[in-house]
């Protein structure tokens, strides 16, 4: 996957997950193919979730902004 000016491999993704998990223990790593939310996309990939729950998309976007995540790094998703 290409993002942030580089091609990410499994080692890069795992390293980012570990870094994030060390800062916040409820961070999760999932495979997009295991969740119906992502089923319409034929590409499957690893996704790092913040482990936070919100009542609305607006609340989630506000959390992203408050934690200095831009729209390419933080995307509120309903996994139900």
């Amino acid at each position: 996957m290409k993002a942030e000016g580089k091609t990410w491999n499994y080692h890069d993704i795992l390293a980012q997950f570990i870094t994030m998990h060390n800062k916040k223990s409820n961070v999760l790593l999932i495979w997009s193919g295991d969740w119906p939310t992502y089923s319409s996309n034929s590409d499957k990939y690893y996704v790092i979730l913040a482990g936070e729950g919100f009542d609305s998309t607006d609340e989630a976007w506000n959390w992203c902004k408050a934690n200095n995540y831009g729209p390419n790094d933080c995307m509120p998703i309903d996994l139900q």
Side-chain angles (χ1 to χ4, degrees), residues 33-75:
D34 292 337
W35 296 90
T37 299
Y38 298 101
S39 64
S40 63
N41 186 341
S42 62
D43 294 331
K44 304 299 178 212
Y45 40 86
Y46 287 100
V47 179
I48 299 172
L49 302 176
E52 301 290 334
F54 303 97
D55 291 329
S56 72
T57 303
D58 287 339
E59 284 183 28
W61 279 119
N62 289 336
W63 182 90
C64 292
K65 292 175 192 171
N67 286 277
N68 296 315
Y69 292 115
N72 292 328
D73 298 315
C74 193
M75 294 161 237

Side-chain angles (χ1 to χ4, degrees), residues 17 20-21 24-31 35 38 46-52 63 75-77 79:
F17 167 73
M20 293 177 79
H21 190 268
K24 194 166 175 96
S25 64
N26 61 339
V27 171
L28 304 168
L29 181 66
I30 67 166
W31 179 247
W35 296 90
Y38 298 101
Y46 287 100
V47 179
I48 299 172
L49 302 176
E52 301 290 334
W63 182 90
M75 294 161 237
I77 299 291
L79 292 176

